[in-house]
């Protein structure tokens, strides 16, 4: 999602595009970069802070900011992945004009679901995998509720910290896009199929637009 200076990822490309379209004398960009690890929210830009704060970026140094934050993200080796993300990461970009919020962009890097039988995880890695799966299940339930077409539906955002953080990016005036990272390897057919089914439901999300 972040990439490198030579090959920037989606987070870097989308935020760079934002800077290309705005006048920094007129707008202020505020960033927060968080991870959800074992249902605990951590600030990746200021890990020693007791409260989560927004960082102002008036020079467009987004790549440097994200790379510094990503170094603090929880990653551990498993039998399935040598650099497995053990948390979900969320970049929130607030666009401010005249000290009022003009727009908001959420970019989320979801950790992949895990089967203990495939990863052979034990101990802390097994606990992390279970937390990842629970939060992905909660997100899937929210997406199902939003795509059901039932106007009186109840959407339970409170099942996990992840869905609470993503509430503004899934409902209301939000436009949601999900990109699935899958493999063509036959040994991972079931994971690939389930991932595509999961992502396809996001296309059916319906929201009620509220005029600003």
């Amino acid at each position: 999602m972040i990439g490198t200076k030579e090959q920037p990822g989606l987070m870097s490309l989308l935020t760079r595009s934002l800077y290309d379209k705005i006048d920094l004398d007129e707008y202020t960009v505020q960033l927060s970069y968080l991870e959800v690890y074992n249902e605990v929210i951590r600030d990746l830009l200021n890990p020693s802070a007791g409260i989560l704060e927004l960082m102002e970026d008036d020079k467009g140094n987004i790549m440097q900011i994200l790379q510094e934050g990503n170094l603090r993200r929880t990653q551990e080796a498993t039998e399935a992945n040598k650099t497995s993300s053990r948390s979900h990461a969320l970049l929130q970009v607030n666009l401010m004009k005249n000290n009022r919020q003009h727009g908001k962009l959420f970019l989320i890097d979801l950790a992949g679901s895990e089967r203990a039988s495939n990863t052979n995880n034990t101990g802390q890695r097994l606990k992390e995998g279970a937390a990842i799966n629970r939060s992905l299940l909660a997100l899937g339930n929210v997406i199902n509720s939003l795509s059901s077409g039932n106007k009186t539906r109840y959407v339970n955002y409170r099942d996990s910290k992840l869905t609470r953080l993503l509430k503004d990016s899934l409902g209301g005036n939000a436009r949601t896009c999900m990109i699935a990272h899958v493999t063509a390897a036959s040994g991972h057919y079931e994971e690939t199929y389930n991932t595509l089914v999961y992502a396809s439901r996001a296309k059916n999300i319906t929201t009620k637009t509220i005029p600003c």
Side-chain angles (χ1 to χ4, degrees), residues 36-40 78 84-88 111-117 119-139 159-162:
V36 182
Y37 172 72
N38 283 350
E39 284 300 294
V40 175
T78 69
S84 175
S85 297
R86 313 311 295 161
S87 66
H88 308 296
S113 61
E114 294 187 346
R115 288 177 176 268
S117 59
T119 61
N120 293 322
N121 286 341
T122 59
Q124 185 63 20
R125 300 292 83 78
L126 184 63
K127 179 182 178 182
E128 292 165 351
I132 290 170
N133 290 343
R134 282 196 302 270
S135 59
L136 289 174
L137 176 61
L139 177 59
D159 265 358
S160 81
K161 298 288 180 60
L162 176 66

Side-chain angles (χ1 to χ4, degrees), residues 10-20 31 62 66 91 93 105 107:
L10 280 175
M11 286 184 174
S12 304
L13 291 172
L14 288 172
T15 48
R16 182 184 298 172
S17 176
L18 172 65
Y19 281 105
D20 290 340
L31 306 172
I62 185 66
L66 290 179
L91 173 66
V93 183
L105 174 67
L107 297 169

Side-chain angles (χ1 to χ4, degrees), residues 16-133:
R16 182 184 298 172
S17 176
L18 172 65
Y19 281 105
D20 290 340
K21 297 179 185 300
I22 64 172
D23 182 351
L24 288 175
D25 292 328
E26 186 177 1
Y27 295 93
T28 301
V29 179
Q30 296 179 331
L31 306 172
S32 65
Y33 191 32
L34 318 174
E35 77 166 352
V36 182
Y37 172 72
N38 283 350
E39 284 300 294
V40 175
I41 302 173
R42 297 178 175 178
D43 187 343
L44 293 174
L45 300 183
N46 189 13
S48 61
I51 56 176
L52 302 178
E53 296 182 351
L54 293 176
M55 176 180 291
E56 289 195 6
D57 179 28
D58 56 0
K59 298 180 181 179
N61 296 325
I62 185 66
M63 174 62 79
Q64 179 181 345
I65 291 173
L66 290 179
Q67 287 181 332
E68 290 177 359
N70 208 48
L71 290 175
R72 304 184 183 104
R73 189 176 175 186
T74 305
Q75 294 181 335
E76 297 290 347
T78 69
E79 289 195 14
N81 190 343
K82 292 182 179 180
T83 56
S84 175
S85 297
R86 313 311 295 161
S87 66
H88 308 296
L90 187 152
L91 173 66
Q92 178 178 326
V93 183
N94 285 334
L95 186 62
M96 310 295 293
K97 183 178 181 180
N98 298 325
N99 293 321
R100 296 184 61 183
Q101 185 170 284
H102 186 74
K104 186 186 296 184
L105 174 67
F106 289 91
L107 297 169
I108 304 96
D109 184 8
L110 295 173
S113 61
E114 294 187 346
R115 288 177 176 268
S117 59
N118 291 345
T119 61
N120 293 322
N121 286 341
T122 59
Q124 185 63 20
R125 300 292 83 78
L126 184 63
K127 179 182 178 182
E128 292 165 351
I132 290 170
N133 290 343

Side-chain angles (χ1 to χ4, degrees), residues 104-106 168-178 205 207 209:
K104 186 186 296 184
L105 174 67
F106 289 91
D168 287 347
S169 64
L170 292 169
N173 288 342
R175 293 185 179 181
T176 303
C177 175
M178 182 176 290
I205 290 178
T207 56
T209 303

